[in-house]
Amino acid sequence: MTSTADLTASTVRRAADAPPLITEADLPQARHFVDGTFVEASTERVIDVVDPSTESVIARIPEGTAEDIDRAVAAAVAAKDQWARLVPKDRSEVLHAIADRLASAEHTDLLSRLESANTGKPLAVSRDDVGMTVDTFRFMAGALRATTSMAAGDYAENHLSVILREPLGVIGVITPWNYPLLMAAWKIAPILAAGNTLVIKPSEQTPLTTLKFAELVADLLPSGVLNVVNGYGADAGARLAEHPDVNMIALTGSVASGRAVARAAADTLKRVHLELGGKAPVVIFEDADLAATASSLRVASFWNSGQECGAACRVLVHESVAEQFVEQLVGEVRALVVGEPTSGEEVEVGPMVSKAHFDRVIGYLERATKEGVRVATGGGALDGPGYFVAPTVLVDVPEGAEVAREEIFGPVVTVETFADEEEAVRRANDVPLGLSASVWTENARRSHDIAARLDFGTVWVNSHLVLAGEVPWGGFKGSGYGRDLSIYALDDYSRTKHVMHHHGR
Ligand code: NAD
């Protein structure tokens, strides 16, 4: 690793004397969770689970096979009719009970520590993840009791039409490593709320909180309703996507995995729900409150160390205020506290999740500087152990540069400039991804107009990365289709049936 101490104020805060985040007793059982219990795997092959702050192996989990997936799907199939038949009130009570179980101080603390140990996230980020996980279950517990539809009535003469909303059956879920517990909850809560059963395959890198979740809620759910199989995407994940008894496959992950899953799902024509990558433009006009914008980006660009699909990673700023804005942004970024999760509550930025991802992020930085992009702060690795990258601002980024088009998924913000509104909109939209964007201006007419013209599933005005359970999250274009959160997710995980009664006499 090359140190960039000359370019950045950041050093990695360490906690030499702090007790370890987790002990053996905190770890979940390193097995698959099938039909209501932890079961032995079909092979003895294991996957190392690594703490990215220290590079030490903290657990070994079984490498799931197609056989393990088949067993879990069979359990989900066997459980689906009973779960689907529960009246909304009863399903709602189970979801509330799950939320209550996770929300206890003891379990929130345990899940937060496990998440930080497995991902390197600051504890504040992990606690936020657990809080949102609880809120997602609470929202879905309420929403499932208040579904709406068109009125029953005679739309053809002497024929009464009734619309039923039914579960899809068994849903396969595949989750990423950046928010392991939260992304699982964004799927599990609406899937269960809509009356489906599921098999989830967490990221092979970050299975600990999904397994612990299963352990904590096992007694609240009938056997087979929730199943967890560990393993790699190309084996366990691919089998789940192609399985003939799985009615829908829902993936949060990269664009490449989204394509693979959609292809595997095509043979059985199962439904596909894809939450893929992002490359969020941050369009800053000359009348924006620049200081407030820079301070918002300190969080919105660097939350979860920038390993965030909605991260405010691509600034497009009006040329007349670019210099002033960069100065303010660099001031904020240089003040970010980088460290291990155990090194204090002030830590804002942790390591990259793995060596492979660290190498990927560093590769982008090295190629950018070779192409003439200028590093305003950061620009490379920080001293190990751990996969730490210095919070980085790249300027003089030409139109179409690799770092301005591709998802880096690290603590890196690029800054481009524009001359007028037309150019701002054209360049903001000129990326293959369409997950989220933001517009910064004090002019309300302009903000409404620009927000309408941006081709992204979420557009914030004078804000970025603020989410709520009531509003949908999901992308356009290469960012996939389907919605997480909100009643739109409930819709996605159910199907409508029209029943028409002839009552003419
Ligand atoms: P990834 O695609 O490498 O892995 C995600 C999951 O897919 C893992 O469980 C992996 O094992 C599995 N997988 C990989 N190949 C597969 C295949 N051929 N068949 C079936 N499953 C397969 O993604 P990641 O690196 O874990 O996560 C980062 C990506 O996730 C980023 O692109 C990020 O933008 C995206 N993401 C999107 C959202 C969103 O809401 N849109 C949220 C979080 C992360």
Side-chain angles (χ1 to χ4, degrees), residues 94-112 114 126-138 180-182 184-186 188-189 192 208-221 226:
V94 174
L95 267 70
H96 275 304
I98 292 174
D100 291 345
R101 183 71 54 88
L102 304 186
S104 76
E106 181 198 353
H107 293 151
T108 294
D109 175 63
L110 171 60
L111 289 165
S112 305
L114 274 174
S126 293
R127 284 190 209 112
D128 190 76
D129 290 359
V130 179
M132 270 186 85
T133 294
V134 170
D135 185 59
T136 304
F137 278 95
R138 289 209 200 292
L181 178 68
L182 187 58
W186 281 16
I188 295 171
L192 295 182
L208 299 186
T209 47
T210 307
L211 290 169
K212 184 55 81 173
F213 171 85
E215 192 178 302
L216 291 176
V217 306
D219 63 309
L220 302 175
L221 286 163
L226 166 78

Side-chain angles (χ1 to χ4, degrees), residues 174-178 183 201-204 232-233 237-238 251-254 257 260-261 275-278 309 407 409 435 473:
I174 301 175
T175 47
W177 47 255
N178 63 338
M183 292 303 99
K201 190 207 79 65
S203 166
E204 58 276 19
Y232 291 109
L251 165 87
T252 299
S254 63
S257 303
V261 161
E275 296 288 348
L276 308 178
C309 46
E407 185 183 45
F409 224 54
L435 187 58
W473 177 254

Side-chain angles (χ1 to χ4, degrees), residues 30 41 43-49 59-64 204 232:
T43 72
E44 289 186 353
R45 287 197 303 275
V46 291
I47 302 172
D48 287 346
V49 178
R60 288 193 170 85
I61 50 140
E63 184 188 321
E204 58 276 19
Y232 291 109

Side-chain angles (χ1 to χ4, degrees), residues 292-308:
T293 309
S295 132
S296 298
L297 293 202
R298 175 178 183 149
V299 179
S301 306
F302 296 93
W303 185 257
N304 210 33
S305 314
Q307 300 168 124
E308 154 65 60

Side-chain angles (χ1 to χ4, degrees), residues 149-309:
S149 153
M150 67 182 281
D154 283 15
Y155 297 97
E157 197 176 342
N158 290 330
H159 284 76
L160 171 68
S161 287
V162 177
I163 301 295
L164 302 179
R165 187 160 278 283
E166 301 181 338
L168 294 169
V170 175
I171 316 274
V173 176
I174 301 175
T175 47
W177 47 255
N178 63 338
Y179 295 99
L181 178 68
L182 187 58
M183 292 303 99
W186 281 16
K187 308 292 187 214
I188 295 171
I191 286 170
L192 295 182
N196 307 282
T197 58
L198 71 121
V199 176
I200 180 168
K201 190 207 79 65
S203 166
E204 58 276 19
Q205 298 175 58
T206 54
L208 299 186
T209 47
T210 307
L211 290 169
K212 184 55 81 173
F213 171 85
E215 192 178 302
L216 291 176
V217 306
D219 63 309
L220 302 175
L221 286 163
S223 299
V225 170
L226 166 78
N227 304 277
V228 185
V229 176
N230 306 289
Y232 291 109
D235 308 320
R239 177 61 185 155
L240 197 53
E242 71 175 17
H243 199 295
D245 295 337
V246 170
N247 303 97
M248 181 184 197
I249 185 84
L251 165 87
T252 299
S254 63
V255 177
S257 303
R259 285 198 192 99
V261 161
R263 265 189 226 112
D267 276 346
T268 51
L269 286 176
K270 61 172 60 71
R271 294 188 188 201
V272 180
H273 188 280
L274 299 174
E275 296 288 348
L276 308 178
K279 184 76 185 174
V282 179
V283 183
I284 305 169
F285 286 98
E286 63 282 7
D287 64 338
D289 179 338
L290 298 182
T293 309
S295 132
S296 298
L297 293 202
R298 175 178 183 149
V299 179
S301 306
F302 296 93
W303 185 257
N304 210 33
S305 314
Q307 300 168 124
E308 154 65 60
C309 46

